[in-house]
């Protein structure tokens, strides 16, 4: 009996280790990054504990801090999901930055053009436009990869530069505006600049397209009728931070759930993962690899495009040059530290958002420069990459195979002995 | 193969992040020294100006300002590094001037991205800073929002245009004067009849300067060909060098460069041409005098003095208890001026430009074609 139970216990332990490994790697990576950065801060002449405390306070110490953490993490969740989903199918999307910018541009274009539309319709139209713009941009490299064998890392990366130039150009072309400049010349269709002011930035998108905030939720008649007389309700209404916490972080959670279901519970996701593991094996299974790559790119580009729309409709409400720097590129480390899992990407984006939100408080309080936060991020990525090189799963598989073959050998010998004794 | 690819790309991203993290820290010592020297010069200028004001004014407004501002804390929000030898160096020098003139305590954050700016301002406000200064038009929305959240703290923005928030002071330099007078200088100095203007980026203030630059050439009856090219970045010396090299190869002998740290690339290109025997090639610097980078060929050019803007707002508006609004100052207030020419063009040309400037300062209507804008 004991001989039968022992391997079962070992399997449970191995299974636990294997499962928890995806969580252990980023956690250890983060802890190690903080430990080494702490030494650097000590070398700088400051107290690392005080510095980390300041980061924490800057990220969570006040309603303003929490609002900033949430707004900073939201686009990173979407770009992290875009990269993670793409990679699962072997489509390494380095173009999330450009797709994000195109998404923002498209959402803004709709938001400043159809200013008479009702809010709900305009929001949907903005998201749709951003999704289509991001998806279209990802589709071209995907087609080149699927049909012509082009390396998508290069093509998606190069598309970023094309988009940035187009974006900068578009910001300098007047977009028609009712009552100011209503001429729709051919070039104006591509322009986004607000004609009423000199700088290269768009007008604000129509106010009804701004994502609702916690504050606006509190002001609804239903909530007011229930809590209107309470002290905390009045205090909440006066808190400007609640005006900045919008629906966007909640939509990011929804995005995580949708991508999780898509990735692990649907045929589309299964095909994508199969192609990601081995295109040849997937082809042998009857999966159309080219089509899967195209579909994956569409989904990945859509997610990156939505990141831009979230920033415009939720936070900035207009585009301008460098309005959101590197959020697309940061999606790569977000996905990697998140172990290419949707929930992991959310946690990783949360970590990055909190670091960004708390960085300046650290500088003000402890004189440690903001750049230290980038060192922490970089070290975390380094350790996370190092962690992925540990072949724990294959080690267990190998050891399991060895023990199975040993047991088979023992059983064979015992059978032979029995046969000899019988004889 | 895929794992190798991922590791390679990840390491590339990592390397880029490390580079960006390390960039400010890897500031060359020389630049810092230069900044200090420049700051000392600026302080001297301010002190000189202070003496003039003391002699003429019945009361001493600077002393009043010093009394009101001493010990207060000023925070700066900057888009780049303080040693970029251009836009952000100017802001840093301005803050140092303010510190030395009024006894302020100063702190600043470099490389503030647009999306982070509002929180950085809030952090400073929550940490007890008394005055917050954001340097650049890109922070317009953020500073307007945060100024309304903290109505008791004065906010200052350069190149801003909002004028209806009582604790927000936006200031800009009168635009066009620099373009006109540098155009008058360049179009007379060119021997090949080709001039190239290298800009970091295309923005309204710069576009108007170029318009006035060309206007000056037209007024002179010059047929010089004026080309404008853009780098697309304020921190790209390599690309600036490429553009300048191409312009010189194309026959340009006057290069105007307004690209912050990119200007060092322009200087390199001009130096190479100069060393190869093209002794007529000249560079005109912008924002501040960069003759020290190439004494044989860099004309002092045009200064846009952020310190004058900041001191003006601090002394004449905030310390005086004036409400916020949009303000513009220029040559008349000595916030913009021509730097020394260092004998790098003929004396006749220098005399002509100096005389034109003096005439303009006495009577701005003496140059009817010079359109000055204060709304940019």
């Amino acid at each position: 009996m004991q001989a039968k139970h022992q391997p079962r216990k070992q399997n449970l332990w191995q299974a636990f280790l294997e499962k928890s490994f995806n969580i252990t790697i980023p956690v250890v990576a983060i802890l190690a990054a903080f430990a080494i950065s702490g030494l650097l801060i000590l070398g700088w002449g400051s107290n690392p504990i005080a510095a980390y405390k300041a980061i924490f306070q800057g990220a969570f110490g006040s309603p303003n801090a929490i609002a900033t953490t949430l707004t900073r993490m939201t686009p990173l969740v979407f770009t992290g999901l875009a990269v993670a989903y793409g990679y699962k199918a072997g489509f390494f999307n380095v173009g999330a930055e450009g797709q994000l910018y195109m998404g923002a541009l498209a959402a803004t274009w709709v938001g400043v053009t159809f200013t008479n539309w009702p809010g709900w319709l305009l929001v949907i139209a903005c998201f749709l436009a951003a999704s289509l713009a991001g998806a279209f941009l990802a589709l071209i490299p995907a087609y080149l990869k699927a049909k012509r064998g082009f390396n998508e890392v290069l093509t998606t990366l190069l598309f970023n530069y094309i988009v940035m130039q187009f974006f900068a150009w578009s910001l300098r072309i007047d977009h028609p505006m009712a009552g100011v400049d209503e001429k729709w010349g051919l070039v104006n269709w591509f322009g986004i600049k607000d004609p009423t002011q000199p700088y290269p930035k768009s007008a604000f998108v129509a106010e009804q397209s701004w994502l609702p905030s916690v504050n606006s939720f509190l002001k609804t008649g239903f909530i007011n009728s229930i809590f209107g007389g309470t002290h905390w309700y009045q205090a909440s209404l006066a808190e400007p931070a609640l005006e900045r916490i919008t629906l966007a972080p909640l939509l990011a959670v929804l995005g995580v759930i949708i991508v999780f279901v898509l990735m692990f519970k649907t045929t589309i996701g299964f095909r994508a993962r199969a192609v990601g593991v081995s295109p040849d094996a997937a082809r042998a299974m009857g999966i159309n690899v080219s089509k899967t790559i195209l579909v994956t790119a569409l989904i990945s580009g859509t997610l990156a495009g939505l990141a831009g729309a979230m920033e415009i409709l939720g936070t900035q409400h207009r585009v301008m040059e460098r309005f959101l720097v590197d959020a697309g590129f940061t999606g790569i480390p977000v996905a990697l530290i998140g172990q290419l899992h949707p929930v992991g990407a959310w946690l990783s984006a949360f970590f990055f958002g909190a670091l960004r939100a708390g960085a300046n408080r650290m500088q003000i309080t402890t004189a440690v420069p903001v750049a230290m936060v980038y060192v922490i991020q970089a070290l975390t990525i380094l350790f996370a990459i190092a962690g992925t090189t540990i072949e724990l799963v294959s080690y267990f598989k190998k050891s399991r195979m060895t023990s199975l073959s040993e047991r088979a050998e023992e059983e064979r010998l015992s059978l032979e002995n029995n046969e000899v004794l019988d004889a | 193969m895929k794992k190798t690819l991922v590791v390679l790309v990840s390491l590339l991203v990592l390397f880029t992040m490390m580079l960006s993290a390390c960039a400010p820290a890897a500031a060359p010592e020389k630049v810092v020294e230069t900044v200090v020297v420049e700051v000392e010069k600026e302080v001297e200028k301010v002190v000189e100006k202070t003496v003039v004001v003391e002699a003429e004014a019945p009361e001493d407004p600077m002393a009043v300002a010093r009394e009101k501002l001493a010990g207060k804390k000023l925070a700066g929000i900057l888009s780049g590094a303080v040693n970029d030898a251009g836009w952000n160096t100017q802001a840093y020098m301005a803050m140092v001037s303010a510190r030395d003139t009024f006894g302020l305590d100063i702190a600043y954050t470099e490389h503030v991205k647009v999306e982070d700016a509002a929180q950085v301002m809030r952090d400073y406000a929550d940490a007890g800073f008394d005055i917050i200064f954001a340097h650049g038009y890109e922070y317009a929305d953020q500073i307007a929002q945060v100024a309304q959240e903290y109505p008791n703290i004065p906010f200052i923005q350069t190149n801003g245009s909002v004028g209806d928030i009582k604790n927000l002071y936006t200031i800009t330099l009168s635009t066009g004067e620099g373009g006109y007078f540098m155009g008058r200088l360049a179009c007379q100095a060119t021997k090949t009849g080709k001039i190239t203007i290298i800009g970091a980026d295309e923005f309204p203030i710069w576009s108007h300067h170029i318009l006035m630059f060309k206007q000056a050439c037209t007024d002179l009856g010059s047929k010089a060909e004026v080309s404008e090219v853009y780098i697309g970045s304020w921190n790209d010396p390599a690309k600036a060098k490429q553009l300048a090299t191409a312009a010189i190869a194309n026959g340009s002998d006057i290069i105007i460069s307004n690209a912050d740290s990119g200007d060092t690339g322009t200087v390199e290109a001009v130096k190479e041409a100069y060393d190869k025997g093209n002794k007529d090639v000249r560079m005109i610097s912008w924002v501040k005098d960069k003759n020290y980078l190439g004494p044989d060929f860099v004309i002092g050019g045009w200064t846009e003095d952020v310190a004058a803007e900041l001191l003006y707002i601090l002394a004449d508006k905030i310390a005086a208890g004036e409400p916020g609004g949009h303000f513009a100052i220029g040559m008349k207030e000595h916030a913009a001026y021509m730097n020394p020419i260092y004998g790098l063009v003929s004396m006749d040309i220098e005399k002509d430009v100096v005389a034109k400037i003096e005439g303009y300062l006495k009577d701005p209507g003496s140059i009817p074609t010079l359109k000055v804008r204060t709304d940019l």
Side-chain angles (χ1 to χ4, degrees), chain B residues 12 92 110 135 137 139 149 191 202 206 222 227 236 240 242 257 279-280 282 285 313 331 336 352 371:
Chain B
L12 187 65
Y92 173 73
E110 300 170 292
H135 190 45
Y137 83 88
Y139 302 126
E149 291 174 19
K191 291 177 180 167
E202 198 178 357
W206 187 237
S222 165
S227 310
D236 196 344
Q242 282 175 2
S257 187
K279 300 295 180 191
D280 291 333
R282 297 285 182 269
S285 54
I313 292 291
M331 289 181 75
D352 170 80
K371 308 288 180 203

Side-chain angles (χ1 to χ4, degrees), chain A residues 221-254:
Chain A
F222 176 68
I223 300 293
N224 189 25
S225 65
I226 299 172
F227 302 108
T230 60
H231 174 70
W232 71 264
Y233 177 82
Q234 297 301 331
S236 300
L237 285 183
E239 176 55 62
L242 294 187
E243 195 66 54
R244 296 195 297 119
I245 301 176
T246 66
L247 197 62
L250 208 61
L251 291 174
V253 174
L254 188 66

Side-chain angles (χ1 to χ4, degrees), chain A residues 139-175:
Chain A
L139 193 61
I140 302 167
Y143 178 82
L144 291 172
K145 177 187 170 73
K147 303 290 181 188
R148 295 281 180 271
F150 279 57
N151 185 326
E152 79 279 14
V153 175
L154 286 176
T155 48
T156 51
L157 183 68
L158 293 175
F159 261 100
N160 288 331
Y161 296 102
I162 297 169
V163 170
M164 290 306 169
Q165 293 300 321
F166 176 74
F167 187 80
W169 174 79
S170 177
L171 279 173
R172 286 168 175 80
I173 304 295
D174 284 350
H175 186 80

Side-chain angles (χ1 to χ4, degrees), chain A residues 139-328:
Chain A
L139 193 61
I140 302 167
Y143 178 82
L144 291 172
K145 177 187 170 73
K147 303 290 181 188
R148 295 281 180 271
F150 279 57
N151 185 326
E152 79 279 14
V153 175
L154 286 176
T155 48
T156 51
L157 183 68
L158 293 175
F159 261 100
N160 288 331
Y161 296 102
I162 297 169
V163 170
M164 290 306 169
Q165 293 300 321
F166 176 74
F167 187 80
W169 174 79
S170 177
L171 279 173
R172 286 168 175 80
I173 304 295
D174 284 350
H175 186 80
M177 182 184 277
V180 181
D181 179 6
E182 298 184 21
K183 188 183 157 200
W184 280 89
L186 178 64
V187 77
N188 300 112
W189 283 88
F190 300 99
I192 199 69
K193 181 178 166 286
D194 176 0
T196 64
Q197 50 82 45
Y199 285 99
K201 53 186 175 185
S202 75
F204 285 115
V205 291
E207 205 167 333
Q208 67 267 28
S209 68
W210 297 12
L211 291 178
S213 64
V214 173
N215 215 326
S216 62
F217 174 71
L218 289 176
K219 282 177 185 167
T220 53
F222 176 68
I223 300 293
N224 189 25
S225 65
I226 299 172
F227 302 108
T230 60
H231 174 70
W232 71 264
Y233 177 82
Q234 297 301 331
S236 300
L237 285 183
E239 176 55 62
L242 294 187
E243 195 66 54
R244 296 195 297 119
I245 301 176
T246 66
L247 197 62
L250 208 61
L251 291 174
V253 174
L254 188 66
V256 169
I257 295 168
I258 290 172
V259 172
F260 177 84
V261 172
L262 198 63
M263 199 184 269
F264 298 110
K265 306 289 177 190
T266 66
T267 320
I268 293 173
F270 172 75
R271 285 183 188 140
R273 286 184 289 130
V275 171
V277 171
S278 169
D280 291 334
R283 198 172 286 112
M285 285 165 63
I287 294 173
N288 186 335
V289 174
S290 299
K291 189 180 163 190
T292 305
I293 290 171
L294 291 174
V295 170
T296 302
L298 281 174
I299 294 168
S300 179
T302 297
L303 289 164
L306 282 173
M310 292 295 162
E311 182 68 14
I312 296 304
L313 302 186
T315 307
Q316 299 200 32
H317 309 306
R318 70 162 144 203
V319 286
M320 61 192 298
E321 275 183 305
R322 297 181 283 276
F323 80 100
L324 188 63
V325 181
D326 288 346

